[in-house]
Amino acid sequence: MDRQADTTAMRRAVALAARALGATSPNPVVGCVVTDASGHPVGEGYHRHAGGPHAEVHALREAGVLARGGTAYVTLEPCDHTGRTGPCSQALIEAGISRVVYAVGDPNPQATGGADTLRAAGVEVGKGLLEDEAEAVNIAWLTSVRRGRPFVRWKYAATLDGRIAAADGTSRWITSPEARADVHRLRAEADAVLAGGGTLRADDPHLAVRGIEGAVQPLRVVLDARAEIRPTARVLDGAAPTLVVVGEDADTRHLPDAEPLRLPLRDGRIGVHDLLDALHARGVRSVLLEGGPTLAGSFVAAGAVDQVVGYLAPVLLGDGPQALAGAGIGTITEALRLDITETVRIGPDLRITATLKGA
């Protein structure tokens, strides 16, 4: 076994999986590379959309008869169930694959078991290669399976002293064009982009993806308990699907073309977990939270933020609203500690990605 060759093939599979971010829900993103009996790559593929062929099938089709006696490298344990497509474990067996290496075990009880089926058929199976990398690219789907709710990524842009707007409310533009373009990449990777009524009224955001060729437009979700959204709001322009979430008794007669989602109010607000449960039931597996400090605070207080992406601009304001408010943190001992997983320069700005410690 050539460890370096194995690593190279799996890293390619991870890169292939990433191509479909934002396009496969409620399914995972998966990449696959097939090598022949001598170790030469002969096929590759990735799961492109729900209902379509899985990554292994694409790779096996490209490899053809050269797959016999070869190795398949897959970012997620091959599935062992029949849904809209057949089990990938059986497809690998029928193709004559002699060895399968996968990165992450499948936590979905309906699909797991592929590794055992392969072993029972005499296929050599290895697991855990580049597990962290494969987990990171598929974190939204894995989180949704493990926690029974969508993965939530909170994005904010702020000055170096933590202000998201000036004292007079002006906020365009704190970060650079490069950082704002990068936000569209985050939108393209999400199933839903979420903002609250306050942000809607203050900024009239569009929330759709721009500048990314072939991107699947995410569902634009607006929390507006009393249905105060204007019919002329940019999120209702038809450029991307939009879901307006309102309280059960809200008057929506001024929105004749909208089909609102009605949820009960808790202390005058839409409950975070009520919302996430409803979105999960609709097939949403990842949410990009783009609302203001109050909405972000409600998600943090509810323990419903999985990842934080902050864009920090080399700017000082000294006053104005901060990125987070109402998170229920009253003393330093209650502070939520984070693990920084990445820091990247985006134009003149700094993008910091972090997760909750121990998550």
Side-chain angles (χ1 to χ4, degrees):
M1 180 175 63
D2 186 336
R3 182 71 179 183
Q4 183 57 50
D6 285 351
T7 300
T8 298
M10 185 62 82
R11 186 157 285 128
R12 173 60 179 168
V14 171
L16 289 167
R19 291 184 179 182
L21 283 168
T24 63
S25 285
N27 292 354
V29 292
V30 183
C32 178
V33 170
V34 171
T35 60
D36 63 17
S38 62
H40 294 98
V42 291
E44 61 180 33
Y46 61 97
H47 183 45
R48 302 184 181 191
H49 58 85
H54 288 188
E56 296 93 324
V57 173
H58 281 298
L60 290 172
R61 286 176 179 173
E62 187 173 291
V65 297
L66 297 177
R68 187 162 297 280
T71 298
Y73 301 85
V74 196
T75 57
L76 185 68
E77 178 185 0
C79 66
D80 200 43
H81 81 300
T82 299
R84 285 183 281 185
T85 61
C88 291
S89 56
Q90 193 60 39
L92 292 164
I93 293 168
E94 292 175 356
I97 287 288
S98 64
R99 178 170 170 253
V100 172
V101 180
Y102 67 90
V104 180
D106 193 335
N108 183 356
Q110 295 179 328
T112 193
D116 292 338
T117 296
L118 290 164
R119 290 191 187 95
V123 178
E124 179 186 348
V125 178
K127 65 177 181 178
L129 180 62
L130 298 188
E131 182 176 9
D132 289 346
E133 293 181 27
E135 175 113 5
V137 80
N138 206 19
I139 191 62
W141 181 83
L142 290 168
T143 298
S144 72
V145 173
R146 292 165 179 164
R147 300 189 179 180
R149 62 158 175 82
F151 170 84
V152 177
R153 173 183 282 145
W154 169 40
K155 182 277 301 180
Y156 71 92
T159 62
L160 203 57
D161 56 341
R163 308 294 175 173
I164 61 171
D168 65 356
T170 55
S171 61
R172 295 187 180 183
W173 294 100
I174 286 177
T175 53
S176 63
E178 294 91 339
R180 298 197 297 273
D182 195 62
V183 170
H184 285 277
R185 176 189 59 82
L186 294 184
R187 288 179 180 176
E189 293 179 358
D191 295 338
V193 178
L194 175 63
T199 297
L200 200 73
R201 290 183 287 276
D203 299 335
D204 193 22
H206 193 233
L207 301 181
V209 176
R210 298 187 300 277
I212 299 181
E213 185 177 353
V216 176
Q217 289 290 350
L219 176 68
R220 299 179 291 187
V221 181
V222 177
L223 267 63
D224 191 15
R226 294 182 295 276
E228 295 174 331
I229 183 173
R230 297 184 299 270
T232 57
R234 296 173 69 207
V235 293
L236 300 177
D237 65 356
T242 300
L243 178 66
V244 180
V245 184
V246 301
E248 289 177 315
D249 299 325
D251 185 354
T252 59
R253 287 175 295 180
H254 63 297
L255 302 173
D257 297 327
E259 288 290 340
L261 170 63
R262 296 184 180 273
L263 293 176
L265 297 183
R266 302 180 186 277
D267 296 326
R269 296 182 179 181
I270 293 167
V272 168
H273 289 290
D274 290 337
L275 172 66
L276 292 177
D277 288 346
L279 292 177
H280 193 266
R282 290 171 174 250
V284 171
R285 297 296 179 261
S286 61
V287 171
L288 179 63
L289 179 59
E290 287 205 41
T294 301
L295 183 62
S298 67
F299 271 73
V300 170
V305 171
D306 301 297
Q307 187 182 75
V308 180
V309 179
Y311 294 86
L312 298 183
V315 176
L316 298 176
L317 283 174
D319 202 356
Q322 297 180 323
L324 187 64
I329 300 171
T331 178
I332 193 65
T333 58
E334 297 173 347
L336 298 180
R337 305 292 176 175
L338 305 177
D339 286 320
I340 295 177
T341 58
E342 184 185 50
T343 57
V344 179
R345 282 287 297 268
I346 306 289
D349 305 318
L350 185 65
R351 185 187 72 206
I352 300 178
T353 303
T355 57
L356 295 180
K357 272 191 177 300

